[in-house]
Amino acid sequence: ISGTTTGGSKLAADHRPWGPRMEEELEKLRTGVAQQLITTPLKFDGLAIWENYSCVFASRLGDGRFPQTTDSSLALIDWAYQYGINFDYIVRASLDKLSKYKVLFLPGATAIGEVEMQAMLNFVKNGGVIIADINPGMMNPDFKILKKNRLAELFGEFNTETLPQPKTSPLN
């Protein structure tokens, strides 16, 4: 902590120790592995992860039946990185690209709109596979809890009256 202000402290990082070495470290990146990482195309593995900000906020409404997207997406991403498997994120604006993928993961996909639902159903009808974790499609993007989940055609019918509290535990 360097310096103070009225009513609190002001944090300041001291970068001076890095100054003399910064150029040397950047040069290693410019001439070494960084160029290879930047110019080497990633292998296409056909995997996509659904990312939806409505789902992120739905988990914060206080109903434990609707998990945070990171409860499963972080483990999925760690797994993919560990085994060198490439994936892309799919959002509403990129739904038109969904057909090029083989598998779509829906981590914490609590809130799904009509457009997304139709795109997902068409994806499966055309041979794609969807893997969801807990309670997909139970809300619309405006956080209205639906009487029937939007992806009942894929995962079976369930509703908020029959949803148990999810129990999560680490994989060993």
Side-chain angles (χ1 to χ4, degrees), residues 6-28:
T6 307
S9 300
K10 152 177 102 171
L11 295 176
D14 186 359
H15 298 288
R16 286 177 289 175
W18 286 94
R21 294 185 15 219
M22 184 78 70
E23 189 172 332
E24 177 185 331
E25 295 299 319
L26 289 174
E27 188 59 28
K28 286 181 194 175

Side-chain angles (χ1 to χ4, degrees), residues 8 15 21 33-38 42 46-47 58 71 80 90-91 95 105 111 120 127 136 138 148 153 162 171:
H15 298 288
R21 294 185 15 219
V33 72
Q35 285 304 308
Q36 191 173 22
L37 290 172
I38 292 169
L42 293 172
L47 302 181
D71 287 347
I90 291 288
V91 296
L95 282 172
F105 290 96
M120 290 173 190
M138 287 305 304
K148 181 176 123 178
E153 191 175 320
T162 61
L171 298 173

Side-chain angles (χ1 to χ4, degrees), residues 57-79:
F57 292 112
S59 68
R60 297 179 184 163
L61 296 176
D63 189 331
R65 297 173 296 178
F66 306 119
Q68 293 184 25
T69 58
T70 54
D71 287 347
S72 54
S73 67
L74 292 179
L76 175 62
I77 292 166
D78 285 346
W79 170 82

Side-chain angles (χ1 to χ4, degrees), residues 96-131:
D96 59 326
K97 296 180 177 119
L98 191 55
S99 62
K100 75 178 193 174
Y101 297 95
K102 299 174 196 169
V103 178
L104 175 64
F105 290 96
L106 304 178
T110 301
I112 297 175
E114 284 284 332
V115 171
E116 293 91 342
M117 176 193 72
Q118 281 305 319
M120 290 173 190
L121 293 175
N122 289 336
F123 174 70
V124 171
K125 285 177 184 167
N126 292 317
V129 173
I130 292 181
I131 300 171

